[in-house]
């Protein structure tokens, strides 16, 4: 597994967080800075769960991956 980089950005309210891999196989987690601290932590744990479960290199659908976290 690559490095995990966490960034806090202002995003629309409908987006809590998202994760993308980059060319170095690092995971870039983007957390909505407009959320409360508790909501940010929950979103971060959710994204880390996707990384731990290797969802970024899986052929599973998004719906299946979301049901596993």
């Amino acid at each position: 597994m690559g490095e995990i980089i966490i960034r806090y950005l202002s995003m629309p309210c409908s987006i809590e967080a998202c994760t993308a891999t980059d060319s170095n196989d690092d995971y870039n987690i983007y957390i909505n800075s407009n959320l409360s601290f508790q909501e940010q932590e929950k979103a971060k744990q959710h994204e880390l769960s996707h990384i731990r479960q290797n969802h970024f290199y899986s052929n599973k659908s998004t719906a299946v991956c979301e049901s596993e976290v």
Side-chain angles (χ1 to χ4, degrees):
M1 177 170 25
E3 298 291 318
I4 298 173
I5 303 156
I6 300 174
R7 295 181 173 92
Y8 294 85
L9 302 171
S10 180
M11 295 188 267
C13 296
S14 60
I15 302 172
E16 294 180 359
C18 64
T19 301
T21 56
D22 61 25
S23 60
N24 296 321
D25 288 328
D26 292 331
Y27 296 96
N28 296 272
I29 300 176
Y30 300 93
I31 308 290
N32 190 338
S33 62
N34 298 315
L35 300 174
S36 70
F37 176 77
Q38 292 82 8
E39 291 170 320
Q40 289 175 1
E41 285 299 306
K42 182 179 175 184
K44 180 173 70 176
Q45 292 307 315
H46 179 92
E47 296 303 314
L48 289 170
S49 179
H50 285 299
I51 294 169
R52 284 192 297 273
Q53 294 184 44
N54 206 31
H55 287 159
F56 294 92
Y57 299 99
S58 168
N59 290 327
K60 297 176 185 176
S61 70
T62 302
V64 169
C65 291
E66 285 299 321
S67 72
E68 293 179 344
V69 291

